[in-house]
Amino acid sequence: MDQERPLRERLIDAGVELVMSEGTGALGLREIARRAGVSHGAPRRYFPTHQSLLSAIARRGFEDLGVRFSAAAAGARESSPRERVRAIGRAYVGYALEHPGMFELMFRHDLLDSAGRAPAEGPRLRESTLSMFDLLVALVCRCGAAEPSVTAAALWANLHGVAQLWRWGSLPLVLGGAPPADGVERLVDAAVDAHLGPEPV
């Protein structure tokens, strides 16, 4: 770990490494501090609660996912809005399957609500994710959905379910052990078509 980085960032770096390699159960304050090379009390100087440190770690996950959303949308820029929605859906589910520990942490309700945080810490974690949802809503709107926000929210819920059930092994089971790339792509496409309706001829 880069010892020249500010301690606050080193603590977050250590937490990100832990959750990526060992999952959410490994995110104890003592272990994060040990990996950052500081005493177990040092994190309290920057994060008044364990929850505030976990929120900062989860925020890194949302930043990474946001970059993937933007790259997926940009990569499909010449395609139809529906194809861009598909690209974003694949990026979302792909991230969940590649980084299950971080994905689990990002959607912990106690962290997303961040009740009792200091205003100086910036927007709550949940609020910081709105730009990704807004991108999805804009694309869904361009696909002609009557209620873009509701349709985008339902599609998001569907994609989240695909990610969770695939990771738990339920969807591969019912799909007869389909290869991950093929099975996930088909499920994302089916979800998009189910929420956006038949593709125009």
Side-chain angles (χ1 to χ4, degrees), residues 144-158:
E147 295 183 276
S149 293
V150 173
T151 301
L155 175 58
W156 176 25
N158 196 162

Side-chain angles (χ1 to χ4, degrees), residues 50-70:
H50 189 196
Q51 183 191 60
S52 63
L53 175 53
L54 296 184
S55 293
I57 296 166
R59 193 179 298 275
R60 285 274 190 89
F62 277 113
E63 289 169 0
D64 187 18
L65 182 58
V67 168
R68 291 184 182 219
F69 262 42
S70 298

Side-chain angles (χ1 to χ4, degrees), residues 109-194:
H109 289 252
D110 55 333
L111 299 183
L112 291 173
D113 287 335
S114 302
R117 319 171 40 264
E121 293 179 49
R124 293 187 304 177
L125 187 59
R126 175 174 286 143
E127 293 161 356
S128 72
T129 67
L130 290 177
S131 61
M132 287 185 288
F133 183 67
D134 289 343
L135 172 61
L136 182 59
V137 171
L139 290 172
V140 166
C141 183
R142 291 180 58 195
C143 292
E147 295 183 276
S149 293
V150 173
T151 301
L155 175 58
W156 176 25
N158 196 162
L159 294 171
H160 197 88
V162 167
Q164 294 283 46
L165 291 172
W166 190 277
R167 190 163 62 86
W168 292 336
S170 301
L171 289 176
L173 177 67
V174 298
L175 292 178
D182 180 56
V184 167
E185 187 169 310
R186 284 163 50 207
L187 286 166
V188 169
D189 290 351
V192 170
D193 291 340

